[in-house]
Amino acid sequence: MRLVIHQDYVRASIWAARYIAERINSYDQNKPFVLGLPTGSSPLGIYREFIKMKKKGTLSFKNVHTFNMDEYIGLPGNHPQSYRFFMTQNLFDHIDIDKKNINIPDGMAKDPKKECILYEEAIEKKGGIELFLGGMGSDGHIAFNEPGSSLASRTRVKTLTEETKIANARFFDGDPKKVPSTAFTVGVGTVMDAREVLIIVSGRSKARALRACVEEGVNHMWTLSCLQMHPKAIIVCDEDATEELKVGTVRYFKDIEKGNINN
Ligand code: GLP
């Protein structure tokens, strides 16, 4: 696993956006590039960069098919707090993606179990996810795979922890009670099946979780620690997020990335 440390969030976001753009641009144009996407504040800097690149003409999403990680249950796609709405506002409306290539679980699906099975099947039909971009919750979760989730899990319905509801309450008038209690989420196993995983982590509120995921062992209580078992995983973060890492760990990863960081 690579840990790429940048001075601040903006630099980390620019690096990650360029990395993904390079992967999309150099991909076989006869095959769709299947990209997994997250919501939350962490990927916003990357999305802003994608939009800039699209405007400049250095990146096109014509050949990109997307699968979002998760969606709140009970919110329709036009609800301002739904993840579909978030994606439309912050990315999809500003790039040249073909709308039929966008996949997000339907928060209003009548048969949630079936929705999960269909989602996994849709990913498989597209040939699997080439690159999964993600963020991390302050308790170390990936997508909505809360502590204790099976590291072999697939797309399913999960109940959100109080910590996650409190963290996400900022989008719901600051009231954790307004945050839906359940969500569709891809599983840890679904993320692990992607051929590459790139996670962006920013800020001190993530430092404790980053330490657990990088310095401790693979553990279902910090589901992002699954990345230690992935053949091609990158965590890109800012200095603030490294606050709880050992000085030696930070030096070690910075040293390894010396030649790569400006590429
Ligand atoms: C939610 C999402 C995750 C996201 C996390 C962190 O729990 N399901 O995919 O990584 O929030 O959000 P933020 O980036 O806003 O800190």
Side-chain angles (χ1 to χ4, degrees), residues 79-245:
H79 188 285
Q81 266 68 48
S82 75
Y83 282 172
R84 179 175 284 275
F85 192 87
F86 175 100
M87 291 306 298
T88 307
Q89 295 277 303
N90 291 295
L91 183 66
F92 296 144
D93 264 0
H94 313 283
I95 58 173
D96 58 347
I97 191 163
D98 187 335
K99 299 281 185 277
K100 72 176 186 324
N101 296 336
I102 295 170
N103 299 275
I104 304 178
D106 176 4
M108 298 304 282
K110 290 222 165 59
D111 185 342
K113 267 198 179 154
K114 194 169 163 203
E115 179 72 4
C116 298
I117 294 167
L118 292 177
Y119 206 63
E120 287 279 338
E121 281 177 4
I123 294 174
E124 209 180 306
K125 266 193 213 143
K126 290 270 159 69
I129 290 173
E130 186 59 30
L131 189 152
F132 225 132
L133 170 65
M136 177 183 71
S138 54
D139 58 6
H141 72 239
I142 167 115
F144 269 132
N145 293 286
E146 298 283 28
S149 293
S150 160
L151 298 184
S153 52
R154 313 299 309 185
T155 302
R156 68 211 183 291
V157 173
K158 278 297 283 182
T159 302
L160 308 188
T161 62
E162 207 47 38
E163 180 165 342
T164 297
K165 287 169 96 174
I166 291 168
N168 290 357
R170 64 192 194 278
F171 302 112
F172 293 84
D173 308 324
D175 183 358
K177 287 197 196 74
K178 289 189 182 162
V179 181
S181 295
T182 52
F184 285 114
T185 179
V186 294
V188 180
T190 319
V191 176
M192 290 295 280
D193 279 354
R195 289 184 278 283
E196 185 166 10
V197 182
L198 195 159
I199 304 294
I200 177 140
V201 180
S202 165
R204 276 177 204 174
S205 64
K206 305 288 174 75
R208 188 179 63 112
L210 188 67
R211 178 180 55 75
C213 295
V214 173
E215 290 183 345
E216 290 174 16
V218 176
N219 187 324
H220 66 167
M221 296 310 285
W222 306 92
T223 53
L224 190 86
S225 65
C226 67
L227 289 193
Q228 293 178 28
M229 302 287 289
H230 195 282
K232 204 169 180 202
I234 305 177
I235 297 178
V236 53
C237 68
D238 57 16
E239 296 271 3
D240 284 351
T242 67
E243 187 100 335
E244 300 272 339
L245 291 178

Side-chain angles (χ1 to χ4, degrees), residues 247-257:
V247 173
T249 305
V250 172
R251 274 200 199 131
Y252 172 75
F253 282 106
K254 279 192 172 171
D255 200 42
I256 290 186
E257 292 295 334

